[in-house]
């Protein structure tokens, strides 16, 4: 297995060959590596080849961090101009985190940037620096309404980060019952899926993961999860002016321009609330578990444990993923070149 | 059955006798009546006697709308000073709605006001006036962590309102699987509860609603609903400086001072997004349903249908609730008097 250092340097080379500047490549790669470290390979380096394909196809512009302007004193309105998701988002967050330290709350509404990846990464960064983040993003329609048969909603995740005394609290979930990645994983391993996960293209329940791929996923938590995902879809589109429902494109493929929206809200906590947060979380961890062998968990605990193990060198990358990245680093679509970064053209 | 007009006037009289000024009584009552009209009696006039008891016991101050100050240009920090929930909240919303029309986003963080009641009421008002609202509030610990046995989290609801071309979209849910009211309702009708709803005081699953009353309710949607409710609890406490977990008091009884927190975020949508919202919702309603006899529903549809029927005079109040309110209007704790309203002392 390659070391973390080796994975990092080969992946940077692959992005660089595709025309990404070193600092933008670093941002994009930090996000993907963090997903690997936290044990979320579906949002990890598996995604790198598609990102590079999108650049090669002109669906993604690797040189822009988007164009923003203040719509009101505290609302930063961004056109992502097809930039890399984390590059546009990090630039927007930098702007509104600074603003929120003055105004108490600030928000960015973003459209037309690429897939953001694992939202926990953003929430952790903001919370580690002492501010609260709510992050929302929209995907292509993959989820059916509760009581419906068609994919009409995105998987529409939310992440919330809150500063703690020691580590920040980070919660990140999709409003779908499972990810499409998990269904693809079952398909590739020839395993049936539980009957409540998904519908086929005709809108009937199915245990066949291949039938589910062209169908729709269930919302989590029944009518409530459906309502929540729908509320996020409407809220983001109304603020970002992005596409909605079945009009959302470019979050899954290598050719379509990405027209989805993202919303970030940064808030300034009161002084010294980190100790309250950490004490409460510890009380939850120490409370009696339903299964004596399994202590009560706080969201993020498992990810941080995995991260600590993998930082010690136990990172394990699927062989074909690593092979693919090495190929891209050596024979990617373009020779390595220094591109001009465009930072927030107004 | 009494008419809507009669219910309103007798209830106002009851609040007035308890020392509430006519305009504050009107605010409190509008909220409770709206819950009745929407078919949510658990948040309706059933709650009026407790509100009046709390005032009589000095746990609630009916004369204040709280004291607020700007913590930053866009964050309105409020001490509710034990005021009536909707009175304090409406005053805070008025302040931040005005601010958000200038800054794009504004937020209120509130502590120490009484129970807010049905959050949908606030979301609908804000969205009907053309702005987006996220509302969060915390309750006493009634919900167990996923994988735990003890009530450590509130039922922590969220409401989201988004303007539409015709009616606003309003979504309102608790992060618990069911409400404690529903468990009380089963107890009073001697009906068993499903095994996944709640645990008894020892933390074991139970079908006995009376055992569940002293135990804990499950979060909705398993680990995800637990994480979401926990994130709301931490976010609100960090912003409002309010109590957390088992330290939260005064949302259920008649004597404790209420020390929970509430957060409202008001956002300015882009122009003309209402039509996009309404068109999308209509496409969802018209999409093929899983049961041909039951069209796909959008959150709020059923409540609005019930409301339309009840506005036509079909309001039905439980006989004992109506009896109780009539008693309070005639023999309440204090004679009717004009109290001085205190509006936002700084």
């Amino acid at each position: 297995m390659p070391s973390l250092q080796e994975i990092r340097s080969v992946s940077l080379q692959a992005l660089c060959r595709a025309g990404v500047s070193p600092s933008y490549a670093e941002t994009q790669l930090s996000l993907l590596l963090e997903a690997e470290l936290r044990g979320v390979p579906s949002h990890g380096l598996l995604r790198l080849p598609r990102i590079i394909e999108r650049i090669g196809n002109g669906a993604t512009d690797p040189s822009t961090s988007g164009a923003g302007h203040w719509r009101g004193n505290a609302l930063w309105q961004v056109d992502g101009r097809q930039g890399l998701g984390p590059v546009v988002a990090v630039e927007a967050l930098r702007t509104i985190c600074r603003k929120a330290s003055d105004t108490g709350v600030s928000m960015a509404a973003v459209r037309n940037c690429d897939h953001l990846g694992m939202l926990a990464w953003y929430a952790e960064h903001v919370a580690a620096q002492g501010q609260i983040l709510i992050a929302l993003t929209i995907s292509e329609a993959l989820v059916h309404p509760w009581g419906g048969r068609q994919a009409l909603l995105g998987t529409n995740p939310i992440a919330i980060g809150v500063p703690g005394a020691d580590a920040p609290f980070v919660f990140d979930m999709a409003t779908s019952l499972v990810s499409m990645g998990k269904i693809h994983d079952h398909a590739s391993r020839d395993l049936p899926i539980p009957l409540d996960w998904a519908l086929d293209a005709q809108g009937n329940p199915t245990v066949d993961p291949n039938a589910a791929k062209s169908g729709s996923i269930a919302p989590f938590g029944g009518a409530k999860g459906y309502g929540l995902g729908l509320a996020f879809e409407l809220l983001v589109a109304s603020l970002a002016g992005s596409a909605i429902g079945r009009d959302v494109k470019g979050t899954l493929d290598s050719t379509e321009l990405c027209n989805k929206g993202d919303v970030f809200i940064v808030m300034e906590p009161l002084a010294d609330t980190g100790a309250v947060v950490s004490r409460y979380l510890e009380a939850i961890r120490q409370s009696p578990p339903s299964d004596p062998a399994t202590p009560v968990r706080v969201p993020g605990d498992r990810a941080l444990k995995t991260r600590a193990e993998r930082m010690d060198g136990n990172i394990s990358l699927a062989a074909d993923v690593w092979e693919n990245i090495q190929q891209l680093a050596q024979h990617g679509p373009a020779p390595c070149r220094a591109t001009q970064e465009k930072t927030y053209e107004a």
Side-chain angles (χ1 to χ4, degrees), chain A:
Chain A
M1 263 289 107
S3 70
L4 186 55
Q5 192 45 48
E6 194 179 350
I7 294 172
R8 177 187 293 277
S9 108
V10 172
S11 303
L12 279 175
Q13 178 66 14
L15 281 164
C16 175
R17 272 194 83 89
V20 187
S21 71
S23 81
Y24 285 3
E26 185 66 53
T27 300
Q28 176 68 65
L29 189 62
S30 298
L31 171 83
L32 300 177
L33 273 180
E34 185 63 23
E36 292 290 343
L37 289 170
R38 284 173 166 256
V40 192
S42 62
H43 285 62
L45 288 164
L46 177 70
R47 304 240 175 183
L48 191 60
R50 169 139 300 159
I51 291 167
I52 289 173
E53 267 172 53
R54 289 183 60 80
I55 296 170
N57 291 336
T60 300
D61 176 356
S63 71
T64 183
S65 64
H69 70 275
W70 290 105
R71 180 159 72 82
N73 184 41
L75 198 173
W76 184 234
Q77 191 81 33
V78 178
D79 183 334
R81 296 195 172 177
Q82 314 308 141
L84 291 163
V87 168
V88 173
V90 163
E91 180 77 17
L93 280 168
R94 203 174 285 143
T95 305
I96 64 171
C97 285
R98 207 162 40 222
K99 175 63 78 172
S101 67
D102 177 43
T103 55
V105 58
S106 183
M107 191 175 96
V110 184
R111 64 174 169 177
N112 301 340
C113 79
D114 263 29
H115 198 275
L116 292 191
M118 183 183 65
L119 292 185
W121 184 70
Y122 306 92
E124 178 153 20
H125 275 263
V126 172
Q129 286 168 34
Q131 292 179 310
I132 296 170
L133 177 69
I134 298 176
L136 301 171
T137 187
I138 303 304
S139 84
E140 280 174 55
L142 291 172
V143 176
H144 63 77
W146 189 242
R149 285 173 179 262
Q150 268 180 1
L152 292 173
L153 300 115
T155 54
N156 303 358
I158 180 172
I160 296 179
V162 182
D166 33 27
F169 168 85
V170 175
F171 177 65
D172 179 358
M173 67 159 205
T175 51
S176 54
L177 185 60
V178 294
S179 66
M180 191 46 99
K182 209 157 180 175
I183 286 170
H184 279 261
D185 180 56
H186 276 65
S188 73
R189 294 193 290 139
D190 245 339
L191 290 173
I193 55 171
L195 196 61
D196 63 345
W197 276 18
L199 307 176
D200 63 20
Q202 286 69 49
N204 297 311
T206 183
V207 296
D208 175 3
N210 287 303
K213 276 155 71 173
S214 54
S216 59
I217 313 172
F220 95 105
K224 288 190 178 191
Y226 154 53
L228 199 63
L230 176 55
F232 293 164
E233 183 114 17
L234 294 168
L235 182 147
V236 171
S238 299
L239 288 161
S242 47
I244 200 165
R246 294 171 81 94
D247 294 333
V248 179
K249 306 281 180 205
T251 66
L252 296 168
D253 60 80
S254 302
T255 53
E256 298 270 6
L257 298 184
C258 192
N259 60 2
K260 55 86 185 143
D262 321 296
V263 161
F264 300 101
I265 309 171
V266 172
M267 293 154 280
E268 196 67 27
L270 291 164
D272 305 323
T273 50
V276 175
V277 165
S278 293
R279 212 160 42 231
Y280 176 51
L281 293 177
E282 197 50 30
I284 290 177
R285 288 187 192 98
Q286 300 301 328
S287 73
S290 56
D291 168 8
T294 312
V296 178
R297 257 205 221 99
V298 161
D301 279 359
R302 184 160 37 181
L304 289 184
K305 188 160 167 282
T306 305
R307 188 179 198 286
E309 289 162 9
R310 297 196 172 179
M311 286 297 279
D312 286 347
N314 293 317
I315 194 159
S316 81
L317 210 54
D320 57 335
V321 171
W322 176 229
E323 179 76 17
N324 208 339
I325 295 172
Q326 285 176 297
Q327 288 286 329
L328 287 166
Q330 284 159 32
H331 316 289
C336 196
R337 60 173 187 231
T339 46
Q340 191 98 34
E341 288 177 10
K342 289 175 266 175
T343 301
Y344 269 141
E345 315 119 57

